[in-house]
């Protein structure tokens, strides 16, 4: 619990500084923020492909009030022709894991991952069963319609072949002028 509180306190002391020009290095960033208070650390993460910073950095102050003052004054300020974006830094995340927080090991969410995989399999199975049932119902419906049509056609042919039915149909048509 104390580690979490220490991490939260550290977050309020650490500022994200975005929009850095290529010429800005850690010493220039340090010099730009030192007027607001004692600085514990300055970092500018490097791009591995070209070994230049990725146009952002982090400044960690010893005091929370100093970090707040620096954020209020430096957000929107210009440094080497570029406008800075200054906010409180978000906690570091590790790659992988559902929660993504560095406080949890990668395998901490393994149980929920397996459960979710099983649920997805069951859902796919149910969807396949429902699809098969719908196809069967549609096929039965088509067969019933075909049988009904066949029955109607048989009735029509029975009237044509049956002399009594023909005579009755003629009598009915003669009665109705």
């Amino acid at each position: 619990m104390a580690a979490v509180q220490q991490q939260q306190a550290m977050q309020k002391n650490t500022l994200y500084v975005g929009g850095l020009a290529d010429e800005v290095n850690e010493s220039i960033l340090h010099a730009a923020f030192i007027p607001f208070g004692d600085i514990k650390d300055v970092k500018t993460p490097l791009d591995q492909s070209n070994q230049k910073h990725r146009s952002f950095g982090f400044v960690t102050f010893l005091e929370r009030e100093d970090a707040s003052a620096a954020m209020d004054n430096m957000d929107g300020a210009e440094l080497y022709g570029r406008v800075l974006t200054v906010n409180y830094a978000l906690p570091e995340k590790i790659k992988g894991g559902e929660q993504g927080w560095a406080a949890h090991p990668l395998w901490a969410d393994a149980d929920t991952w397996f459960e979710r995989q099983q649920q997805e399999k069951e859902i796919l199975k149910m969807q396949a069963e429902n699809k098969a049932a719908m196809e069967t119902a549609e096929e039965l419906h088509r067969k019933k319609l075909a049988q009904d049509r066949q029955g109607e056609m048989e009735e029509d042919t029975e009237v044509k072949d049956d002399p009594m039915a023909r005579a009755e149909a003629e009598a009915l048509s003669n009665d109705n002028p």
Side-chain angles (χ1 to χ4, degrees), residues 1-14 40:
M1 188 73 114
V4 172
Q5 289 173 344
Q6 182 182 9
Q7 185 180 12
Q8 287 175 343
M10 182 65 104
Q11 291 169 7
K12 296 291 185 182
N13 293 4
T14 303
K40 179 179 178 182

Side-chain angles (χ1 to χ4, degrees), residues 59-79:
V59 178
T60 304
F61 286 89
L62 291 176
E63 300 294 325
R64 294 171 75 169
E65 295 79 21
D66 297 340
S68 177
M71 184 176 67
D72 291 342
N73 288 290
M74 293 299 285
D75 187 38
E78 191 174 310
L79 183 64

Side-chain angles (χ1 to χ4, degrees), residues 42-54:
V42 175
K43 290 183 183 176
T44 53
L46 297 179
D47 185 350
Q48 296 301 319
S49 63
N50 60 15
Q51 294 301 313
K52 293 183 179 181
H53 66 75
R54 302 183 317 189

